[in-house]
DNA sequence: TTGTATGCGTTATCAT
DNA sequence: ATGATAACGCATACAA
């Protein structure tokens, strides 16, 4: 490249990076830019990483369980935010690896930060990542993590919000669905606990995502008259089972969901859902990670960053 | 690292890579492995990339339009498959960039292969990628691409399958929803064309994903008696609008979806859907990309890899 | 069986 | 204002 432009490598570097203290004549700049365009020259990120010692990579290994729209949107927005700050957010698809084996694969890329489901981290893996230069190791989880600072969705608040709404509507005996599904059961328990804040004797109803299981629940003679179904998908599952069983919704049993899925609003009767406003979160989160990476802020293990701050709305279209 | 083990860099490299023609004593291997474990040493991928000239990275820049479950699952499976073959699949989200600007961002990572929505590629960007060492540039699209070999979902076959089923059920006047949504309208047209294979005068009904729009369609006095609604989401939208308008489904108007979403089977009446079996595709696709990368196979622009091969099933639960 | 030397593309320092 | 040069960590040809 340098040869093609008839200048030195260093000059190329200055021009293409708009180096602040670069003293390069406009004429030379032109020559360099023209040569770059002609050759289709693109600086090599790996060489840059090797030289500078940092990759600008923010690694997000995908969660083993498929996550919902909420997380997908969050990642989209964070990608934009990180990009604007000069980082590159990359989703890394290798769901099988766990513990140190996973950490080695991640560390090989020398990411500057990594945001990953806390359940995939161990003490050893966090140490490995830190030792290999990762500035910020952040976990996603349902609660504080002893290993890393964690991004937490406050599931109890969601459950409490739903319970309050059901009680306001006149329900007297509440129940909460807890999904029997690897990876999301912990969140289910959190939401159920939240329901119990307002209804101490709310029943916990474990349910796998299948029509057979739902039919069994719907056939029970002693159903609560208000059920928070964990999220919109489980709510739809439950409602269809109740309808099949001849139970009137919401007259006999009121059902609430959460996540406010677009599809859920198409159910008839319309589904009432807890909606979380996370619009501000991506920016805040990225700013925080940036600060940690730059060493301007500390975040000790056990610290918690809430994914939203009480911005809950019940969308009730009945 | 080499110092810590008391051996040379070269020996470390031999041991950690299990070099085929490496003749290293078992004793030395032990020492190296032990030192690596003790230090939490992980080879630097950027240095390796720089030296070898290839990164092993398979880049999948995300589509600008929100993709469905089908693509998400496909990516999951391909991630596993690529991992098993020594590649690393990463999803790189930089949605704003287009054309050559996007290609530059991608090329900086020196990926060995890139799989991307064909609409984001231009002649110049493909050349840039090829020039910077990307062995395989593969497009996702609704049909053959003049620029690159393409992974194609045969939308016409899907539409034809739905049409046949509706006709078999006794419908006489067919319609097909074409989504009015950036990025997926082309697929909608393809599916509509497929419907016309069996029903030449099938009506094209453009529809944005909103309840207002759907209500307008549902209020029409001259509705077809069989509608293929593009996919399950649009089918649910349309069905709820029809129900609100007092139209009986499926007695007055039969509606079919596609994708076989788990949620869609929870609608009452149950939704009939075209299901594509793509289970074999990820493996085949990855094997093909691997062959192209290794130069064992050619794939010229215009070539087409079908995402499934006629493995279509109508799930009809009425 | 193991060590030494070289170069990949970039950036930073120093020299011109 | 620009060029020469070293060093980043690794893989590999070759020497020992």
């Amino acid at each position: 490249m340098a040869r093609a432009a008839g200048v030195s490598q260093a000059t190329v570097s200055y021009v293409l990076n708009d180096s602040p203290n670069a003293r390069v004549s406009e004429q030379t700049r032109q020559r360099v830019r023209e040569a770059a365009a002609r050759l289709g020259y693109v600086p090599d990120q790996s060489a840059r990483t090797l030289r500078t010692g940092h990759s600008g990579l923010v690694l997000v290994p995908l969660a083993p369980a498929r996550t919902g729209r909420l997380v997908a949107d969050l990642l989209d927005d964070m990608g934009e935010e990180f990009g604007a700050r000069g980082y590159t957010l990359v989703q890394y698809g290798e769901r099988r690896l766990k513990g140190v084996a996973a950490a080695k694969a991640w560390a090989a890329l020398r990411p500057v930060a990594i945001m990953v489901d806390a359940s995939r981290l161990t003490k050893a893996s966090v140490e490995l990542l830190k030792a290999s230069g990762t500035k910020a190791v952040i976990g996603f989880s349902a609660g504080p993590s002893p290993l890393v600072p964690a991004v937490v969705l406050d599931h109890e608040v969601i459950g409490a919000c739903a319970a309050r709404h059901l009680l306001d509507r006149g329900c007297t005996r509440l129940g909460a669905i807890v999904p029997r599904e690897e990876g999301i059961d912990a969140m289910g328990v959190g939401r159920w606990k939240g329901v119990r804040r307002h209804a101490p004797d709310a029943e916990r109803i474990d349910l796998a995502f299948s029509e057979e299981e739902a039919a069994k629940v719907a056939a029970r003679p002693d159903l609560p008259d208000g059920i928070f179904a964990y999220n919109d998908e489980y709510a739809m599952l439950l409602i269809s089972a109740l309808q099949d069983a001849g139970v009137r919704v919401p007259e006999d049993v009121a059902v609430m969901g959460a996540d406010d899925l677009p599809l859920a609003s198409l159910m008839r009767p319309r589904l009432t859902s807890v909606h979380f406003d996370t619009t501000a979160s991506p920016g805040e989160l990225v700013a925080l990670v940036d600060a940690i990476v730059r060493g301007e802020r500390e975040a000790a293990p056990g610290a918690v960053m809430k994914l939203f701050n009480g911005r809950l709305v019940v969308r009730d279209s009945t």
Side-chain angles (χ1 to χ4, degrees), chain A:
Chain A
M1 166 64 203
R3 274 201 314 278
V7 300
S8 76
Q9 292 179 37
T11 308
V12 172
S13 178
Y14 287 142
V15 172
L16 263 46
N17 294 322
D18 282 331
S19 290
N21 44 359
R23 311 141 300 171
V24 180
S25 72
E26 197 51 46
Q27 182 189 355
T28 309
R29 295 187 119 90
Q30 290 295 346
R31 264 225 314 281
V32 171
R33 293 223 176 84
E34 194 233 327
R38 184 159 40 81
L39 298 179
Y41 167 84
V42 175
D44 185 318
Q45 180 60 42
S46 57
R48 177 175 285 163
T49 297
L50 185 59
R51 171 63 230 221
T52 62
H54 54 259
S55 60
L57 227 56
V58 176
L59 210 58
V60 181
L62 299 163
R66 294 230 299 103
T67 53
R69 182 191 56 104
L70 191 79
V71 176
D73 287 352
L74 181 70
L75 281 178
D76 278 10
D77 295 338
M78 292 204 320
E80 301 289 341
E81 294 283 344
F82 273 121
R85 288 171 187 264
Y87 299 96
T88 302
L89 183 139
V90 159
Q91 289 172 244
Y92 182 80
E94 185 64 80
R95 294 181 189 293
R96 287 168 316 193
L97 270 43
K98 289 230 171 196
V100 175
K104 279 186 182 167
W106 303 334
L109 296 177
R110 297 290 190 273
V112 67
I114 181 165
M115 307 180 75
V116 60
D117 209 285
S119 66
R120 297 182 76 184
L121 292 171
T122 64
K123 192 156 184 297
S125 66
V126 173
E127 279 168 7
L128 182 68
L129 286 165
K130 287 283 178 65
S132 65
T134 307
K135 292 284 195 304
V137 181
I138 314 280
F140 293 115
S141 66
S145 157
L147 298 172
V148 290
V151 175
V152 166
L153 222 182
D154 189 341
H155 294 279
E156 294 206 16
V157 170
I158 295 168
C161 175
R164 184 153 28 77
H165 187 261
L166 286 169
L167 292 171
D168 287 351
R169 271 185 105 279
C171 297
T172 55
R173 291 175 48 235
L174 298 193
I177 299 288
V178 173
R180 225 201 309 267
E181 204 174 325
E182 180 99 29
I184 64 176
D185 45 357
M187 310 178 205
V189 171
R191 294 184 185 192
W192 167 62
K193 282 185 182 159
V195 169
R196 293 214 300 185
R197 291 226 277 252
H198 292 118
D201 50 0
E203 183 188 354
R204 166 180 172 162
I205 305 174
D206 291 279
L207 176 63
F209 198 90
S210 84
E211 297 206 44
E212 296 75 43
E213 292 272 324
K216 278 186 214 158
V217 171
R220 281 178 38 181
D222 59 334
L223 277 176
D225 62 354
I227 300 182
F228 174 50
Y230 175 67
N231 70 7
D232 284 353
E233 301 191 3
Y234 276 88
M236 290 174 73
L237 175 69
L238 182 61
I239 289 176
S240 65
L242 289 170
Q243 288 177 329
D244 290 349
V247 178
R248 290 174 308 163
V249 179
E251 292 81 1
D252 298 332
V253 176
V255 176
M256 276 191 71
D259 283 4
D260 197 13
L261 292 185
L263 277 191
S265 67
L266 301 176
M267 288 288 277
R268 296 294 181 271
R270 285 170 186 277
L271 181 59
T272 296
S273 184
V274 179
H275 173 95
F276 351 118
D277 177 10
T278 57
T279 46
S281 302
E284 293 170 2
L285 217 51
V286 168
L288 188 55
V289 173
D290 188 20
I292 295 173
V293 167
R294 305 225 306 254
E296 296 170 1
R297 232 190 106 152
E298 297 282 328
V304 157
M305 299 172 260
K306 292 231 171 132
L307 198 48
F308 62 85
N309 299 303
R311 292 186 283 264
L312 284 185
V313 185
V314 172
R315 189 182 46 64
D316 185 348
S317 3
T318 53

